[in-house]
Amino acid sequence: MNDLTPAPNNGCRDTPVLKERGQREVFCGLTGIIWLHRKMQDAFFLVVGSRTCAHLLQSAAGVMIFAEPRFGTAILEETDLAGMVDAHQELDREVARLLERRPDIRQLFLVGSCPSEVIKLDLAKAAERLTQVHAPHVRVLNYSGSGIETTFTQGEDACLASMVPVLNHTDERQLLVVGALPDVVEDQMLDLLSKLGIVPVKVLPARRIDQDTAIGPNTVFALTQPFLGDTAAALERRGAKHIAAPFPFGDEGTTAWLAAVAEEFGVSREVFDDVTVAPRTRARTAIAQASESLCGKSVFFFPDSQLEVPLARFLARECGMTPIEIGSPYIHDAIHGPDLALIPPGPTISEGQDVEKQLDRARAAKPDLTVCGLGLANPLEAEGLSTKWAIELVFTPVHFYEQAGDLAGLFSRPLRRKAKLSLEAAE
């Protein structure tokens, strides 16, 4: 059912990985709250942290300034490291006040951060204690968003992994789609799966806790995000089976992802083609229009969001770009392997980061486009390199057919801007 032409010699799947451990340039996992709190409409994320944590979230979610968001910070002031007797009592009081003021909350996440005052708190025990107090109306869970333990998108992975052990058990044959997507993209995906005749389909995270999500030995799951390694492992421990596939970015990636799911559920080739032909045509047309300035250009990925491998596959296969280096914080063969197998051999595949060494490689390569974090973008622009902010690829709807042209446009925009500025300077 899959029409993807494989890259020669298994592509980059067998390429030796350059593993680097040094100074990193990434956000901490707390930033995942910014999209999770929008997705999970009856959840609240209470960060147990410092004023720095509060400022980070307020800055990242500035668009929510006129609304009451579903996140906040329980600030622990600096205290004697040996004198934290009242910390749990204070946390219990803050939670009680919050739930009294916000009776709409059904799920409360206690999110740990990196200050020393927080690290030594047992938030897992606190979550168990608070669940007993506030059940059955509120379920209290905890996970770490600490920058010491997590990078950027791993906050979502830690959050979803914390939910898996408390999911109900089911023996029903079902598909579980895992990963937070914007509602409009999720609706498009569910519509495609429905037309393929795949039922029932559940999603994690669900928009509300009362949308029953269960798991068991007859559950198969497909990931929509490539940074959910811990969640995938937790689901497999519950008996679920992972459907390995390229990620649904662009025409080819979306088709390959749907094809893997369709094959698992015995969908005929005729039905598959009938359902996908129209959106595939739209996606191809949109990609071709948006990627004219990308064909023949080179791209260098700094590690940031763990989206790097499937995005490199998309740019190489569907936009005609040449990846020079594909860096990612973590690379899991079971998750990233299907995309790596499609990338033509040639680029360096790097895991982790030693930022100074990687900067030297990028400067030597002089790529046409560099995908990196905010902290590196402006300095590299000042050196004459065109950059794309990696964070924008997380906050913008980019999955599945209808967003394929927008995804290509995110990469072509910096190159078009540079060409226009050069033209104006010449005049």
Side-chain angles (χ1 to χ4, degrees):
M1 190 175 292
N2 192 340
D3 290 332
L4 287 182
T5 303
N9 301 320
N10 210 23
C12 291
R13 190 163 192 170
D14 298 326
T15 299
V17 177
L18 173 63
K19 296 187 177 183
E20 294 190 314
R21 298 295 181 264
Q23 183 179 354
R24 301 179 299 171
E25 290 285 341
V26 292
F27 283 116
C28 71
L30 293 180
T31 44
I33 292 171
I34 303 307
W35 62 85
L36 287 171
H37 91 281
R38 297 174 184 171
K39 181 67 182 177
M40 302 166 70
Q41 298 171 11
D42 58 0
F44 193 96
F45 296 83
L46 184 63
V47 177
V48 184
S50 66
R51 296 188 186 278
T52 301
C53 303
H55 293 322
L56 169 66
L57 290 175
Q58 289 168 0
S59 298
V63 294
M64 300 297 294
I65 192 169
F66 298 114
E68 186 169 29
R70 289 185 291 274
F71 65 86
T73 308
I75 296 173
L76 292 182
E77 302 289 357
E78 294 183 7
T79 59
D80 177 15
L81 291 180
M84 296 292 289
V85 176
D86 296 330
H88 282 284
Q89 295 176 5
E90 180 62 24
L91 180 60
D92 289 2
R93 284 194 296 269
E94 288 297 320
V95 168
R97 283 196 288 263
L98 170 65
L99 296 179
E100 183 179 4
R101 184 171 61 86
R102 298 286 296 272
D104 57 307
I105 296 172
R106 298 289 310 284
Q107 300 180 87
L108 176 63
F109 292 94
L110 303 180
V111 187
S113 57
C114 60
S116 57
E117 299 84 17
V118 178
I119 291 174
K120 66 179 192 173
L121 286 176
D122 191 340
L123 291 181
K125 288 292 185 183
E128 291 177 8
R129 181 179 66 252
L130 289 166
T131 292
Q132 292 175 357
V133 172
H134 299 286
H137 183 70
V138 180
R139 181 175 68 189
V140 185
L141 300 172
N142 87 286
Y143 69 92
S144 175
S146 165
I148 297 174
E149 299 177 61
T150 61
T151 65
F152 194 14
T153 52
Q154 280 185 288
E156 177 179 335
D157 189 20
C159 176
L160 300 190
S162 76
M163 299 172 68
V164 173
V166 299
L167 294 177
N168 292 330
H169 176 85
T170 181
D171 290 319
E172 184 179 29
R173 168 73 167 170
Q174 62 172 353
L175 172 66
L176 179 66
V177 180
V178 185
L181 296 172
D183 288 350
V184 64
V185 178
E186 182 180 290
D187 290 341
Q188 293 169 6
M189 173 198 70
L190 292 173
D191 181 61
L192 285 168
L193 293 172
S194 175
K195 290 176 178 176
L196 289 172
I198 298 173
V199 291
V201 179
K202 303 294 178 64
V203 294
L204 182 70
R207 298 178 196 183
R208 294 186 178 277
I209 193 174
D210 55 5
Q211 293 180 357
D212 185 41
T213 303
I215 189 171
N218 294 316
T219 299
V220 293
F221 69 94
L223 302 176
T224 62
Q225 303 286 14
F227 44 74
L228 299 176
D230 287 349
T231 304
L235 288 167
E236 288 176 335
R237 285 194 294 270
R238 290 287 307 270
K241 172 189 171 185
H242 176 219
I243 303 175
F247 284 88
F249 297 118
D251 162 36
E252 286 190 329
T254 301
T255 302
W257 187 91
L258 288 170
V261 174
E263 183 175 354
E264 175 69 28
F265 282 84
V267 178
S268 71
R269 180 57 184 259
E270 182 181 9
V271 170
F272 184 84
D273 289 344
D274 286 344
V275 170
T276 60
V277 62
R280 286 197 74 178
T281 300
R282 291 195 298 271
R284 289 172 178 172
T285 301
I287 293 169
Q289 293 173 346
S291 64
E292 289 181 358
S293 59
L294 297 177
C295 189
K297 300 294 197 303
S298 60
V299 60
F300 190 110
F301 282 91
F302 279 78
D304 192 86
S305 64
Q306 294 190 63
L307 297 174
E308 292 82 15
V309 169
L311 290 178
R313 188 269 309 154
F314 167 72
L315 292 176
R317 300 272 302 189
E318 303 189 51
C319 300
M321 297 194 79
T322 300
I324 297 174
E325 179 166 328
I326 306 168
S328 189
Y330 300 98
I331 297 176
H332 301 277
D333 183 72
I335 294 174
H336 299 106
D339 279 295
L340 282 168
L342 293 172
I343 299 173
T348 297
I349 309 297
S350 63
E351 180 188 56
Q353 188 174 41
D354 187 322
V355 68
E356 295 298 335
K357 291 181 180 179
Q358 195 168 39
L359 282 169
D360 289 342
R361 295 197 297 271
R363 290 173 178 133
K366 295 181 172 59
D368 295 301
L369 183 63
T370 301
V371 184
C372 59
L374 296 172
L376 297 177
N378 284 345
L380 290 177
E381 287 279 350
E383 296 179 21
L385 295 178
S386 294
T387 63
K388 173 78 248 169
W389 292 353
I391 194 171
E392 191 175 358
L393 298 160
V394 176
F395 284 97
T396 305
V398 293
H399 292 72
F400 295 97
Y401 291 124
E402 306 305 333
Q403 285 66 233
D406 295 334
L407 177 57
L410 288 174
F411 291 101
S412 63
R413 197 173 299 135
L415 298 182
R416 294 199 306 268
R417 181 179 66 246
K418 184 174 184 178
K420 185 176 181 180
L421 290 173
S422 300
L423 183 61
E424 291 177 352
E427 295 175 350

